[in-house]
Amino acid sequence: MAGSTHTVTNQAPPLTGYDVFAADRALTEAVERHLAAELREEAVAELSGTGRGCGAPQTQEWGAQADAHPPVLRTHDRYGRRVDEVDFHPAWHRLLGKGVSAGLTDARSRPGGHVRRAAGFVLWTQVEAGVCGPLSTTHAAVPALRADPELAAEWEPRLTSRVYDRGLRPARLKAGVLFGTGLTEKQGGSDLRANTTSARPLAEDGTYELTGHKWFCSAPMSDGFLVLARAPGGPTCFLVPRVLADGTRNVFLIQRLKDKLGNRSNASAEVEFAGTWARRVGEEGSGAAVVAGTAAATRLDRVLGSAGLMRQAVARAVHHCAHREAFGGKLADKPLMRNVLADLALESEAATTLGMRLAAACDAAEAG
Ligand SMILES: Cc1cc2nc3c(=O)[nH]c(=O)nc-3n(C[C@H](O)[C@H](O)[C@H](O)COP(=O)(O)OP(=O)(O)OC[C@H]3O[C@@H](n4cnc5c(N)ncnc54)[C@H](O)[C@@H]3O)c2cc1C
């Protein structure tokens, strides 16, 4: 009979069906510490809801599926027309939708919003870190767009919406949108001054056409992108929509998806612009200053994402050692193993505490 060769023993049960927020003392304490007393009860209730969602078997299954089925680029349709679309596993869309509805693209619409979002981001990273990419770049687009109050008024409500409205359609028809970022070029990397993508003014109304390439453009199925390009007045930030207002597709030629070591469920693309329509954000020549707030927001998310991954590693290690027996006792009771686990926990708690402290500084800065 199949499976009759042995009985499976001494294996830990799946780490599932628990509140990932309530189980994380460093995180719960940071939320208590950084939120005003009158905000705490509601915030803790909401984060516990997110924490239970993260710990649910179904969510974890979606995380495993999204990771096991990376995105696939479709440059052309079957008749040879360019479509430049990326297909994702349904689990990806489920997780992205849940992340949007958990408020992970919005830190600015309520007091203590950065701390609340940061805690949610640490939790969501523990389900599937790749999904946090577009959640991060969408959230981070807001500071740049605020360089142009008209653009901010138009786009911010859609960026911070709790609705994941999937599919390429004109943004005005959508209840929520996602944003990616296209800064990096082959010859420059982090040295954005070396960028060569050019922007030619089309009219006096802030519209341009772009020509060039991006070596790294995140979340290529997003509705809009912040892109740096060289205008006559110098490096400038632009908003590039995937779909134009009249419903036609903008020129957004996805050359290939990156084959990455981590972050595999998330599509990251090499993109060509060839007469691509763009709207200027801020003055010509102010590109570096305009994207500075966006870069800072994504750096905070890298801290929070790393803290989330470290926390997940500790939780799994402790769980495993609490169940696994070796040499006559639980691994968690062996003095040397306790040292290892304590070391991991210390570093994880420090990372969580730092990330939450930084998020609290963002709240304080915005509260003025
Ligand atoms: C998961 C992921 C997501 C990303 N998302 C985006 C995105 O959304 N949009 C986007 O435009 N790009 C994105 N990137 C690309 C990223 O911004 C670049 O990889 C980054 O700017 C570094 O460029 P580079 O890899 O070419 O390294 P380089 O710039 O060539 O740097 C090489 C090395 O030198 C170091 N270095 C660079 N400058 C200095 C300095 N002044 N002093 C000392 N050391 C230095 C760097 O730390 C690095 O170790 C992403 C990359 C990854 C891995």
Side-chain angles (χ1 to χ4, degrees):
M1 190 174 80
S4 64
T5 58
H6 65 287
T7 307
V8 178
T9 60
N10 198 23
Q11 290 285 349
L15 176 57
T16 195
Y18 72 111
D19 179 345
V20 180
F21 176 67
D24 186 341
R25 197 155 150 196
L27 190 61
T28 51
E29 285 182 2
V31 168
E32 300 261 330
R33 187 162 54 247
H34 293 305
L35 285 185
E38 68 273 14
L39 303 174
R40 283 182 205 145
E41 194 178 329
E42 192 226 330
V44 165
E46 187 182 76
L47 287 165
S48 263
T50 305
R52 284 193 299 277
C54 292
Q58 175 66 82
T59 319
Q60 293 182 346
E61 178 67 19
W62 286 333
Q65 288 172 339
D67 200 51
H69 301 280
V72 176
L73 173 62
R74 272 191 299 121
T75 52
H76 297 77
D77 70 9
R78 61 189 295 194
Y79 305 102
R81 297 184 194 96
R82 274 207 89 115
V83 288
D84 297 286
E85 297 225 13
V86 181
D87 294 333
F88 292 88
H89 191 273
W92 163 270
H93 294 293
R94 299 264 188 184
L95 291 174
L96 192 48
K98 295 236 173 245
V100 170
S101 64
L104 298 184
T105 61
D106 176 25
R108 296 175 187 85
S109 64
R110 53 187 180 177
H114 280 284
V115 163
R116 296 178 68 159
R117 175 184 175 275
F121 200 87
V122 169
L123 297 174
W124 210 245
T125 299
Q126 296 176 59
V127 175
E128 211 295 304
V131 170
C132 292
L135 295 171
S136 177
T137 46
T138 299
H139 162 251
V142 170
L145 290 177
R146 284 185 178 179
D148 183 322
E150 195 185 315
L151 280 182
E154 181 190 349
W155 286 88
E156 201 168 320
R158 298 180 197 133
L159 287 162
T160 56
S161 158
R162 295 207 173 200
V163 179
Y164 175 41
D165 193 350
R166 173 183 161 186
L168 295 180
R169 300 195 306 287
R172 70 188 150 74
L173 302 178
K174 299 188 74 170
V177 299
L178 297 175
F179 256 53
T181 319
L183 312 177
T184 310
E185 298 186 5
K186 295 185 188 84
Q187 70 285 350
S190 44
D191 187 358
L192 298 175
R193 294 167 306 177
N195 280 6
T196 60
T197 295
S198 65
R200 189 176 71 82
L202 291 173
E204 291 296 308
D205 59 355
T207 60
Y208 290 71
E209 67 173 24
L210 308 188
T211 305
H213 75 282
K214 289 293 164 184
W215 178 239
F216 212 113
C217 183
S218 54
M221 284 302 283
S222 295
D223 301 282
F225 299 83
L226 291 178
V227 170
L228 267 189
R230 202 165 279 282
T236 305
C237 178
F238 291 93
L239 189 166
V240 172
R242 278 265 2 222
V243 181
L244 299 172
D246 65 4
T248 57
R249 299 270 175 103
N250 204 356
V251 182
F252 191 88
L253 306 169
I254 305 177
Q255 304 302 313
R256 60 172 173 165
L257 299 186
K258 295 293 197 187
D259 184 10
K260 292 169 293 182
L261 188 60
N263 200 261
R264 292 182 62 78
S265 68
N266 182 20
S268 310
E270 290 168 33
V271 175
E272 294 283 328
F273 301 130
T276 299
W277 188 92
R279 167 73 155 77
R280 193 182 69 230
V281 184
E283 295 304 315
E284 280 193 12
S286 70
V290 170
V291 297
T294 291
T298 55
R299 293 318 91 175
L300 173 58
D301 282 354
R302 300 297 75 80
V303 174
L304 298 168
S306 303
L309 290 174
M310 290 166 79
R311 168 64 196 171
Q312 188 190 36
V314 172
R316 285 180 185 229
V318 170
H319 177 75
H320 180 79
C321 292
H323 291 88
R324 181 82 167 175
E325 292 193 6
F327 300 99
K330 302 271 189 223
L331 282 175
D333 293 329
K334 308 288 180 192
L336 281 177
M337 184 60 84
R338 291 176 86 92
N339 274 357
V340 171
L341 296 175
D343 262 0
L344 293 177
L346 198 63
E347 294 196 0
S348 159
E349 291 189 16
T352 298
T353 304
L354 172 67
M356 295 301 290
R357 172 69 183 80
L358 293 171
C362 293
D363 278 328
E366 284 181 20

